[in-house]
Amino acid sequence: MSDGTATTTTTDLDIRLEKHRVELTGYCYRMLGSSFEAEDAVQDTMVRAWRSYEKFEGRSSLRSWLYRIATNVCLDMLTAGNKRARPMDLSESTPLAQAALSPRPDNTWLEPMPDNRVLPTTDDPAEAAVAKESVRLAFMAALQQLPAKQRAVLILREVLAWKASEVAELLDTSVASVNSALQRARATLAEREDRAAGAAVSDPLDEDQQKLLDRYVAAFEGYDMTALTALLHEDAVMTMPPFDLWLTGHDDITGFMTTLGSACEGSRLVPVQVNGLPGFAQYKPDPEEGGYTPWAVQVLEISDGRLTGFHFFLDTARWFPLFGLPLHLEAEADQVDKGE
């Protein structure tokens, strides 16, 4: 009888912990800037919670307790001081004539993340909008510039709407200290506001934005540089992690695509929801096996009816499984089941 009770209790605890996995993953992702490190941090949080649950006395909610554990896990992981970034955070843009593809280590880069792994389902449109905005690449890059504890305070207060007293209790500090950290974090982000702009995307996409995406797909799949130029803002930015090269302006972008990037001609695009923004899984023609092979996860930024940024994450062996995408498309397949 006792064995049966223990099993039920364990199962019940697992279910209760799992209910918080998506929001905890979103929190750890904002803290760490890495998809895989975030999932590792959440798994570590769950294991620690499961092992120490008998010591949990219920003085706070289970959710608050899990956030305390997750925060400590993230702070431990951030002690090395690594700040993930986008290519434009590390260097000046490169003129097309000097373009060279030089990779940097994986832990240099801010990583993409599927929406469904970090954005909990909510019936509150305002809450959903804040959550999406807070995982967009520009905001994530700005977060990475904050010291770890300021980062935690800003996310808990501004994104998750915790009270200052709740954050102070979680971090074992004073309300005054929390408010001071929040002011410093806001000041740092305000200095970067011009660089964090450029992703004014409606949720859901409005009619004009959806038409822009449809035109983009037609232009990209048709490799029509004239049509693509018409969609790009004159200061549009293109990045390609793990390479540190980044290009600005439609002339250099389309020039790259017809020279160093010419192998992308004939690609197929499959829609994905990534970092609170529209995106696509790009498959390029596979000359050896036929059909199409993975090439990039594209994340698009839109503002004022134009594409202001498109970011190609090229490590497809990591990204396509994360998004539940197949590693091959048949030639006649125009649609693909992306899974859950």
Side-chain angles (χ1 to χ4, degrees):
M1 187 74 171
S2 60
D3 288 345
T5 303
T7 301
T8 301
T9 303
T10 299
T11 302
D12 178 61
L13 178 58
D14 287 341
I15 292 171
R16 292 175 66 200
L17 293 177
E18 282 299 318
K19 287 180 180 177
H20 299 282
R21 181 176 290 275
V22 172
E23 66 170 312
L24 287 172
T25 304
Y27 176 62
C28 293
Y29 176 60
R30 296 179 185 98
M31 285 289 292
L32 301 170
S34 164
S35 320
F36 295 102
E37 285 184 3
E39 297 204 330
D40 287 346
V42 172
Q43 193 56 37
D44 191 2
T45 297
M46 295 297 189
V47 170
R48 292 189 192 190
W50 197 89
R51 287 175 176 170
S52 59
Y53 185 70
E54 289 183 359
K55 300 176 184 176
F56 173 56
E57 299 173 353
R59 287 179 293 183
S60 63
S61 68
L62 178 64
R63 179 173 182 256
S64 298
W65 184 58
L66 288 171
Y67 269 94
R68 175 188 287 268
I69 298 171
T71 299
N72 289 332
V73 170
C74 289
L75 292 178
D76 287 344
M77 293 174 73
L78 288 167
T79 52
N82 182 50
K83 295 180 179 179
R84 290 176 177 266
R86 304 167 300 170
M88 65 277 274
D89 300 318
L90 302 179
S91 65
E92 297 298 320
S93 64
T94 305
L96 178 59
Q98 300 171 20
L101 298 178
S102 304
R104 295 202 191 188
D106 288 342
N107 64 3
T108 305
W109 304 118
L110 190 63
E111 297 179 346
M113 181 65 111
D115 284 1
N116 62 3
R117 289 181 179 258
V118 292
L119 299 178
T121 303
T122 176
D123 294 327
D124 183 340
E127 184 179 318
V130 169
K132 279 198 168 188
E133 289 170 6
S134 68
V135 293
R136 289 177 182 166
L137 294 174
F139 183 79
M140 289 285 297
L143 277 180
Q144 300 304 301
Q145 300 305 308
L146 299 175
K149 286 196 174 179
Q150 283 186 30
R151 204 180 303 178
V153 167
L154 184 88
I155 296 167
L156 291 165
R157 292 282 285 119
E158 302 272 284
V159 178
L160 301 176
W162 285 40
K163 297 176 182 177
S165 57
E166 295 171 329
V167 178
E169 182 179 353
L170 183 145
L171 294 175
D172 291 323
T173 189
S174 66
V175 169
S177 177
V178 167
N179 289 336
S180 176
L182 181 59
Q183 286 181 342
R184 294 196 302 273
R186 283 173 173 166
T188 300
L189 262 60
E191 291 173 3
R192 293 176 55 91
E193 189 172 3
D194 59 324
R195 300 173 71 182
V201 182
S202 300
D203 182 29
L205 295 178
D206 64 32
E207 185 178 354
D208 288 341
Q209 290 170 344
Q210 188 57 59
K211 286 180 178 178
L212 176 64
L213 289 183
D214 293 343
R215 291 168 63 197
Y216 170 74
V217 171
F220 194 94
E221 292 189 342
Y223 231 58
D224 183 339
M225 295 301 116
T226 300
L228 186 59
T229 297
L231 305 179
L232 294 176
H233 190 277
E234 62 180 9
D235 295 324
V237 167
M238 175 180 174
T239 69
M240 292 161 282
F243 300 116
D244 57 12
L245 170 74
W246 64 283
L247 302 166
T248 183
H250 46 61
D251 289 343
D252 276 3
I253 289 171
T254 56
F256 178 89
M257 292 176 66
T258 54
T259 54
L260 291 175
S262 61
C264 290
E265 185 170 356
S267 290
R268 293 292 175 263
L269 301 181
V270 176
V272 293
Q273 297 298 314
V274 51
N275 285 86
L277 292 164
F280 296 94
Q282 178 191 342
Y283 292 82
K284 71 174 185 175
D286 186 338
E288 295 181 2
E289 297 185 18
Y292 301 89
T293 191
W295 183 247
V297 170
Q298 301 183 6
V299 185
L300 305 187
E301 293 171 329
I302 300 172
S303 184
D304 297 327
R306 291 286 185 270
L307 295 172
T308 55
F310 57 142
H311 309 284
F312 294 70
F313 291 90
L314 302 181
D315 191 353
T316 54
R318 300 173 75 212
W319 305 133
F320 276 53
L322 182 71
F323 282 80
L325 293 157
L327 296 179
H328 185 78
L329 277 188
E330 297 300 328
E332 56 274 9
D334 293 322
Q335 300 291 331
V336 64
D337 180 2
K338 298 186 294 299
E340 296 297 322

